[in-house]
Amino acid sequence: RMANNIIKLKEIEQQLAQEDCTGTGVPCGERIHTLTLSLDWFIQDPYGMTIRFLDFALGNAITKGEKIRIAQRYRQSYYRKVSGGDSHITKGKNVETPKGHIVDPVLLE
């Protein structure tokens, strides 16, 4: 499924790269950026990969301190799961909020 998503994103990126949807001469594809992270990288370095993801996804929208706090919480949560016998990074990871949104419980703390 993930491989298919990556292929589809690349197809969209290529298609938009040929279009000027803003009238500024900048191709639409210039606004699409894809970050691919290996699950193995998250297992080996949950803190570092979380920081990398947050830098990519949020840029300067939140402070470095907030990114560090989120990454530390994620690392603690992950190691707690692994030490409890749950070796799969995504098993039981998401929870449903009262409004029906699916979120990472680490971000709710």
Side-chain angles (χ1 to χ4, degrees):
R1 179 177 163 140
M2 183 180 291
N4 187 51
N5 291 342
I6 292 170
I7 291 168
K8 292 294 182 189
L9 280 170
K10 291 294 179 186
E11 288 174 0
I12 292 169
E13 191 175 289
Q14 289 172 353
Q15 182 180 12
L16 291 177
Q18 300 170 14
E19 298 178 23
D20 176 10
C21 64
T22 62
T24 62
V26 177
C28 299
E30 294 292 318
R31 298 182 306 180
I32 295 178
H33 302 278
T34 305
L35 175 66
T36 304
L37 299 173
S38 163
L39 184 57
D40 289 337
W41 298 344
F42 267 101
I43 291 169
Q44 293 170 9
D45 184 12
Y47 173 85
M49 289 300 102
T50 302
I51 292 289
R52 187 170 173 192
F53 167 74
L54 292 171
D55 283 341
F56 175 81
L58 301 176
N60 293 326
I62 64 173
T63 67
K64 183 70 172 173
E66 290 170 309
K67 291 175 189 175
I68 289 170
R69 181 185 60 78
I70 291 168
Q72 287 172 335
R73 285 179 133 164
Y74 179 78
R75 177 181 54 199
Q76 290 169 352
S77 171
Y78 175 70
Y79 286 145
R80 200 173 325 128
K81 281 185 162 199
V82 170
S83 67
D86 186 359
S87 62
H88 196 281
I89 194 170
T90 59
K91 183 177 180 187
K93 184 79 174 133
N94 296 327
V95 296
E96 189 170 338
T97 67
K99 292 184 179 183
H101 294 71
I102 304 298
V103 296
D104 183 332
V106 172
L107 301 177
L108 295 176
E109 295 177 359

